[in-house]
Amino acid sequence: MSSIDACLAGIEKINRRILSEPEEKRRKHIRERSVSVVVPDLGTAFDMRLTVGGLTGLTHRPADRAAPEPQVRVTVDSDDLVALSEDRLDAARALLGRRVRVDASVGDLLRLRRLL
């Protein structure tokens, strides 16, 4: 099990990956959305906004504490979150293998897939 700090570092790596894409591509595929990454094995959730400028407003809270319903919810164990951020785990395989669950509209899923 990875730590909260390792998960925060992983989210930052994902943010850097998003920001490494040309701004034109980000503008095409990103619609501003509220995002919650729930990490059940740590009992925590990371809340943020996905914007053309990357992931902003990152906070974390106990997973059982109520929060506004996000537009995109990702559920993933801490080790898998870190592995995804380090490209040791393929996102498509993780989704198909049910290691990652994404609750979002179909349009949001398609845009995110093109970006990542």
Side-chain angles (χ1 to χ4, degrees):
M1 178 171 20
S2 296
S3 68
I4 289 176
D5 288 336
C7 290
L8 286 167
I11 291 170
E12 180 55 36
K13 286 179 186 178
I14 292 168
N15 188 43
R16 284 194 303 269
R17 187 179 310 144
I18 291 168
L19 292 173
S20 72
E21 294 294 332
E23 186 174 343
E24 181 178 306
K25 182 178 179 180
R26 286 183 277 144
R27 288 195 183 283
K28 182 177 179 181
H29 296 295
I30 293 177
R31 301 295 178 263
E32 188 166 322
R33 296 288 184 254
S34 59
V35 178
S36 184
V37 178
V38 179
V39 185
D41 62 324
L42 294 179
T44 195
F46 300 93
D47 299 315
M48 64 204 87
R49 299 237 9 118
L50 173 62
T51 70
V52 173
L55 298 170
T56 63
L58 177 63
T59 61
H60 71 89
R61 62 178 167 80
D64 61 355
R65 193 179 89 213
E69 188 68 25
Q71 292 164 307
V72 178
R73 180 188 320 274
V74 179
T75 304
V76 59
D77 281 335
S78 60
D79 289 338
D80 289 336
L81 173 59
V82 172
L84 284 166
S85 73
E86 295 173 349
D87 286 330
R88 292 184 287 117
L89 178 61
D90 179 70
R93 286 186 178 170
L95 282 166
L96 290 173
R98 297 185 180 179
R99 293 172 73 175
V100 174
R101 179 177 168 192
V102 178
D103 299 309
S105 72
V106 173
D108 286 341
L109 287 172
L110 292 173
R111 279 192 288 276
L112 289 172
R113 182 184 63 85
R114 289 184 195 122
L115 181 66
L116 300 175

